Amino acid sequence: MLLKKTICVLSCLSLLYGHVSNAQKIRRLDNSTIYAEVLTQKIQHLVDTARVSGVEIAVFNRRKPVYTKAFGYASVPGRIALDTSAVFYAASFSKAVFAYLVMQLVEKKILYLDTPLVHYLTRPLYEYSLNNTGKSYADLKGDVRVKKITARMCLSHTTGLPNYREYEPDQKLRFRAEPGSRYIYSGEGIYLLQFVIEQITGTDYESLVQERVFQPLHMTESSYVWHKAYEKKCCAGHDRQKQVYDPIRKTLPHADASLYTTIGDYSKFYAALLQRKGLKKSSFAEMFSPQIKVRSKQQFGPNAWVDVNPGEQDDLSYGLGLGLLNTPYGTAFFKEGHDAGWQHYSIGFPEKGIAVIIMTNSDNGERIFQEILETSIADTYTPWYWENYIPYNQKALSSSN
């Protein structure tokens, strides 16, 4: 009886803090291996040295998670340990899930990638208000470029719209480039596509994603709106001094950045991407095919408008909802997430069946991504400088982040 109780306790602890055997070997891209215990020690050292409040990591071999573990705190001031059942505000991880849902609608011919979005509306775009947010598209009235925007442009960040209108000097929505001409990361573009889909289907996005993604993939802890249960389940975001930010409680679904999820739930989604589940082969081929070359020196800041020299950065492009990298191990796909107190990164190598998901509740989180990825799977391909990531042991390469 005592043995059974002990096994039960150990099983519960494994579910809370992560499943991993210290003797387990994790296969890396170059076919070398690393013991789980060594990886755990390395991550713990990074968390302590770089003053990261908390981090969770999932490593995939053979297209399935083989190492999932939590480090640090859900709340530093409260001294609450972080565990793998914790809900995270996932920020722009939201966009990858949205792209997956959009491709389902394309398969059902509810939406077409290259049909201008205005064709789905019953009146001009500028006449619509946005779900009681006080926002509208009135700023775009008279701009004929609106008629060029397609779903493909929204998912590949080539609409020409800015990331958010709030970041503009006058907080007005305007085109920053000709639609289809260059990569410009745009939450506005994603939200525009969400808005049009809601008009087409007559259904709010949260209901659509629950029905078409979360329920089929058994992502029971995921939502694009805040739930009362998250008051206890959601870890806190922290600044660089490990002080807690006010919680981000989204009451309306935003496909660009309002996902709440756990490392376990997001691993189920990533497994679907790696295993090609839930979509046709042709849909995955579209998602993982380069839609546009990324020529900007960095993704954000002033260098987002400065292009690299011809022939440089040819390995970097954007697909539908995901960044793409040409590597010796095939095309890798990646997605990041960033907001005050929350910094995440994920990358998958489908041909190798290897992937990593990193979720942190810390403004210091991005400072340890490079070493985690190089140690865990020998990923030396993630474009650190372009991502505006500055490792904790290096001086700033740019002031643009």
Side-chain angles (χ1 to χ4, degrees):
M1 179 65 71
L2 180 60
L3 177 61
K4 288 183 177 180
K5 288 183 177 180
T6 301
I7 292 173
C8 181
V9 170
L10 290 174
S11 297
C12 291
L13 289 174
S14 175
L15 287 173
L16 281 174
Y17 296 101
H19 62 80
V20 58
S21 166
N22 286 339
Q24 176 187 357
K25 288 184 177 181
I26 298 169
R27 179 71 59 180
R28 303 195 291 186
L29 291 170
D30 57 6
N31 288 329
S32 65
T33 59
I34 183 172
Y35 281 106
E37 181 179 18
V38 175
L39 178 58
T40 296
Q41 292 172 351
K42 176 65 172 181
I43 297 173
Q44 188 63 61
H45 171 74
L46 291 171
V47 168
D48 294 341
T49 304
R51 294 181 51 80
V52 177
S53 303
V55 60
E56 295 191 356
I57 179 173
V59 182
F60 292 66
N61 280 179
R62 297 182 179 179
R63 301 177 178 84
K64 296 180 180 179
V66 294
Y67 176 101
T68 305
K69 197 166 181 64
F71 301 81
Y73 292 92
S75 170
V76 172
R79 307 302 292 175
I80 301 172
L82 185 63
D83 63 62
T84 55
S85 68
V87 172
F88 280 72
Y89 173 64
S92 287
F93 269 11
S94 307
K95 295 177 175 69
V97 176
F98 178 60
Y100 182 82
L101 179 141
V102 170
M103 295 311 296
Q104 291 186 9
L105 301 181
V106 171
E107 288 183 358
K108 298 291 185 181
K109 298 185 178 180
I110 296 172
L111 178 78
Y112 294 88
L113 287 174
D114 297 310
T115 297
L117 295 182
V118 295
H119 288 194
Y120 296 105
L121 302 177
T122 58
R123 59 183 191 271
L125 178 63
Y126 63 81
E127 292 185 4
Y128 287 88
S129 297
L130 298 181
N131 296 334
N132 300 318
T133 64
K135 298 180 181 180
S136 73
Y137 290 105
D139 292 338
L140 300 179
K141 183 177 181 180
D143 196 322
V144 296
R145 289 175 290 186
V146 168
K147 299 178 180 180
K148 298 181 179 181
I149 298 176
T150 64
R152 187 185 301 277
M153 292 177 187
C154 293
L155 295 180
S156 60
H157 295 282
T158 57
T159 61
L161 296 173
N163 195 5
Y164 294 109
R165 66 189 73 189
E166 289 82 0
Y167 298 166
E168 296 296 293
D170 56 4
Q171 297 192 343
K172 290 187 177 181
L173 184 61
R174 60 171 57 82
F175 284 93
R176 301 294 301 277
E178 185 71 17
S181 65
R182 67 179 289 128
Y183 173 87
I184 303 173
Y185 194 85
S186 177
E188 290 284 356
I190 295 294
Y191 190 65
L192 172 60
L193 180 55
Q194 173 194 338
F195 170 74
V196 171
I197 287 173
E198 289 177 334
Q199 302 306 305
I200 295 171
T201 62
T203 307
D204 67 280
Y205 177 65
E206 172 68 7
S207 298
L208 286 171
V209 75
Q210 288 288 347
E211 176 187 353
R212 294 179 175 273
V213 181
F214 296 156
Q215 291 175 14
L217 296 182
H218 306 289
M219 296 171 65
T220 57
E221 298 292 340
S222 298
S223 175
Y224 277 77
V225 293
W226 179 266
H227 292 293
K228 187 176 180 180
Y230 292 163
E231 294 290 348
K232 293 184 178 180
K233 292 182 178 181
C234 192
C235 54
H238 299 75
D239 64 20
R240 290 196 168 185
Q241 286 70 48
K242 296 188 177 182
Q243 297 302 306
V244 173
Y245 285 106
D246 291 335
I248 299 175
R249 297 185 178 95
K250 300 285 188 178
T251 57
L252 293 173
H254 290 261
D256 58 299
S258 73
L259 174 63
Y260 299 92
T261 192
T262 64
I263 190 76
D265 266 16
Y266 206 73
S267 292
K268 293 174 183 177
F269 169 66
Y270 236 65
L273 295 181
L274 291 166
Q275 298 168 18
R276 303 293 198 270
K277 289 185 176 180
L279 293 174
K280 296 178 181 178
K281 290 182 179 179
S282 58
S283 296
F284 280 116
E286 285 276 14
M287 289 183 71
F288 300 150
S289 293
Q291 306 295 318
I292 191 164
K293 288 288 185 182
V294 176
R295 298 301 186 191
S296 60
K297 284 189 174 182
Q298 291 187 293
Q299 184 166 208
F300 298 112
N303 278 341
W305 300 97
V306 178
D307 288 352
V308 297
N309 296 322
E312 295 181 355
Q313 207 169 269
D314 284 343
D315 59 339
L316 181 60
S317 60
Y318 221 85
L320 299 180
L322 297 161
L324 301 176
L325 286 171
N326 289 331
T327 80
Y329 306 105
T331 300
F333 60 83
F334 65 92
K335 188 70 195 79
E336 59 284 290
H338 180 110
D339 206 331
W342 309 94
Q343 297 180 353
H344 317 308
Y345 186 75
S346 62
I347 187 167
F349 296 79
E351 292 185 25
K352 295 287 289 187
I354 291 174
V356 171
I357 300 170
I358 305 169
M359 303 180 74
T360 82
N361 62 340
S362 170
D363 280 346
N364 290 327
E366 291 169 356
R367 303 172 72 197
I368 64 173
F369 287 176
Q370 181 176 7
E371 287 199 48
I372 287 180
L373 292 178
E374 290 183 358
T375 302
S376 61
I377 64 167
D379 168 24
T380 60
Y381 307 99
T382 288
W384 308 109
Y385 179 70
W386 182 79
E387 291 276 13
N388 301 80
Y389 294 161
I390 303 169
Y392 71 96
N393 56 359
Q394 295 182 19
K395 293 182 179 179
L397 298 175
S398 170
S399 60
S400 62
N401 191 12

